[in-house]
Amino acid sequence: MTGPSAGSAAARTRLVARAESERFERQERATGAQWVREQQLVELGKRRDCYVTSNSGYRRYRIELMKYLWLVHKGEVTVEARTALEDARHAMHASFAEAQMVASDAVLAELDSMAQILAQMYDRVMRLEDGSAAPEGSFEEIRTGLLRANEQWVVMRGAMRADLGVDSRPAARSSMVP
């Protein structure tokens, strides 16, 4: 059978095939878009969990460092207090290592800045404890530096919240000189 009827049947077959192909492509695009959304949610969850760990780890370390400073000042340092400080310090370092794998550059910059401040304060506390206080290493100067570190912690937390979409404005950075 050749003629108009055969030509129109072939055209209908091509039209149906093209419609099926377009429907398949739409389904593939929708499936791909859904997969991307699911991956974004997984990544957001990883970052959120990491930020919770980092936030609490850095805060705990700062608090333990402040408590230890008071014990040094009063001459009441104990093995338990030193262990608590070192545990908090190691937990903070572990949370920073994890953050280096998933955090945004903006959050990493804030975590690094806070880690540097805490490292300086730790060094000053240890030197004060062993009797070789550094310049700006008196009890009051270290205490003031640790209190100012709280301002940096607020900035760090703001960067995390902004990265997670919780708050669109990162906290303003103040000048913090430990």
Side-chain angles (χ1 to χ4, degrees):
M1 190 158 110
T2 62
S5 167
S8 65
R12 276 193 302 274
T13 302
R14 284 192 304 273
L15 200 57
V16 167
R18 186 172 48 205
E20 284 295 314
S21 176
E22 288 171 358
R23 186 175 64 82
F24 179 75
E25 287 174 16
R26 278 192 306 275
Q27 286 175 334
E28 285 292 307
R29 283 193 303 271
T31 300
Q34 178 64 28
W35 184 84
V36 166
R37 281 190 298 275
E38 289 170 3
Q39 291 304 306
Q40 288 171 336
L41 286 174
V42 166
E43 291 301 315
L44 181 65
K46 284 179 185 177
R47 279 197 332 269
R48 183 183 58 244
D49 292 347
C50 174
Y51 293 172
V52 166
T53 300
S54 293
N55 190 38
S56 65
Y58 275 68
R59 185 173 185 272
R60 177 180 162 222
Y61 180 42
R62 187 184 61 79
I63 289 169
E64 288 297 329
L65 197 50
M66 181 67 86
K67 286 167 43 179
Y68 196 81
L69 173 65
W70 277 101
L71 293 173
V72 168
H73 180 64
K74 295 189 301 185
E76 299 174 1
V77 173
T78 64
V79 172
E80 294 81 17
R82 180 62 180 240
T83 299
L85 175 61
E86 291 305 317
D87 288 349
R89 184 171 175 243
H90 292 297
M92 191 263 320
H93 286 293
S95 71
F96 184 54
E98 178 186 354
Q100 290 174 324
M101 299 299 119
V102 296
S104 70
D105 288 343
V107 170
L108 276 177
E110 295 303 332
L111 288 171
D112 188 47
S113 178
M114 184 67 170
Q116 288 177 24
I117 290 169
L118 292 174
Q120 291 171 357
M121 294 297 104
Y122 176 84
D123 179 62
R124 289 177 185 171
V125 170
M126 294 301 112
R127 291 179 72 173
L128 181 65
E129 180 184 21
D130 74 11
S132 60
E136 300 177 18
S138 71
F139 166 78
E140 270 308 315
E141 290 166 319
I142 298 169
R143 182 179 163 278
T144 300
L146 285 169
L147 290 172
R148 274 195 311 226
N150 189 57
E151 296 170 16
Q152 175 62 31
W153 177 72
V154 170
V155 172
M156 180 186 77
R157 185 188 62 204
M160 291 175 185
R161 291 174 55 84
D163 189 51
L164 295 173
V166 175
D167 188 357
S168 61
R169 337 167 250 110
R173 177 185 279 277
S174 63
S175 64
M176 280 155 267
V177 180

